[in-house]
Amino acid sequence: MTDANMPLHLGQASRLPASPADAVLDYVPNPRPGRTYLVRFAVPEFTSLCPVTAQPDFAHLVIDYVPAETIVESKSLKLFLGAFRNHAAFHEDCTVGIGERLVKEMKPVWLRIGGYWYPRGGIPIDVFWQSGLPPAELWLPDQGVQPYRGRG
C-alpha cells in the first residue's frame, strides 16, 4: 500500500512493470471482514517466457482466496501478472511464486492457485499450490478448467 493507504494504481495511469519483482501489489480493506467467502481471479491469457528457449509460454491461471483483513486490488494484480510477459521462468516457479507472493503480502485466510499450462514440447504441465487446508465452511467450486485435450 502506498501513501496514506491509497492504492498506487487504482484510478491512475500505470505502466506495465519491467519484472514481477518490480511490480507493486496494492491491497485494500476487506469490505466483509469476518465473513468466509471466496474471491476468484481467472486469467485465461497468462504469458511468461521459457527460461531455456526464451519462447513464450501460455497458461490459464485460476487464483482462489479467502480474504482476511485485505483484498488484492485487481488492477495492481493485472499489472503484476502482465510483468511475467518478459520474465523467464519455469511453469512451476511462476505458478507457485505468484501464490506465495500473494500469501506473504496479503495474508489471506487461505489461497490456492491452479496453473493450467499449454503444451511445451508436446506435454501440458499443470501446477497447483495452496497455502493450507481451506476453511471447513467454505463453498469451494471446481476451478472449471478442462484438462488439455489438443484439437480433438
Side-chain angles (χ1 to χ4, degrees):
M1 192 72 69
T2 57
D3 298 335
N5 293 329
M6 294 301 299
L8 177 67
H9 301 293
L10 189 61
Q12 306 296 320
S14 300
R15 298 178 65 102
L16 194 64
S19 73
D22 292 339
V24 175
L25 284 158
D26 288 327
Y27 302 93
V28 296
N30 179 357
R32 297 288 181 179
R35 303 265 178 127
T36 300
Y37 66 96
L38 184 77
V39 177
R40 171 170 288 169
F41 289 101
V43 187
E45 297 178 348
F46 180 82
T47 322
S48 66
L49 296 177
C50 172
V52 177
T53 66
Q55 294 294 310
D57 285 324
F58 302 93
H60 183 150
L61 300 182
V62 180
I63 302 167
D64 292 326
Y65 74 95
V66 175
E69 298 301 315
T70 62
I71 58 174
V72 64
E73 191 279 314
S74 61
K75 182 178 180 183
S76 72
L77 180 65
K78 184 186 337 180
L79 291 166
F80 168 59
L81 296 174
F84 281 85
R85 184 174 300 160
N86 296 313
H87 179 73
F90 290 110
H91 302 336
E92 297 83 353
D93 188 37
C94 289
T95 306
V96 175
I98 291 165
E100 287 179 336
R101 176 151 176 201
L102 287 168
V103 166
K104 179 181 176 185
E105 294 181 11
M106 183 172 38
K107 298 177 179 49
V109 172
W110 176 81
L111 182 141
R112 78 172 175 186
I113 182 170
Y116 301 85
W117 293 84
Y118 292 90
R120 178 196 289 166
I123 301 174
I125 301 171
D126 296 336
V127 181
F128 307 99
W129 182 82
Q130 65 182 20
S131 62
L133 294 176
E137 69 277 18
L138 179 66
W139 174 53
L140 189 55
D142 181 85
Q143 289 194 327
V145 180
Q146 295 297 316
Y148 184 77
R149 294 180 6 156
R151 292 180 152 227

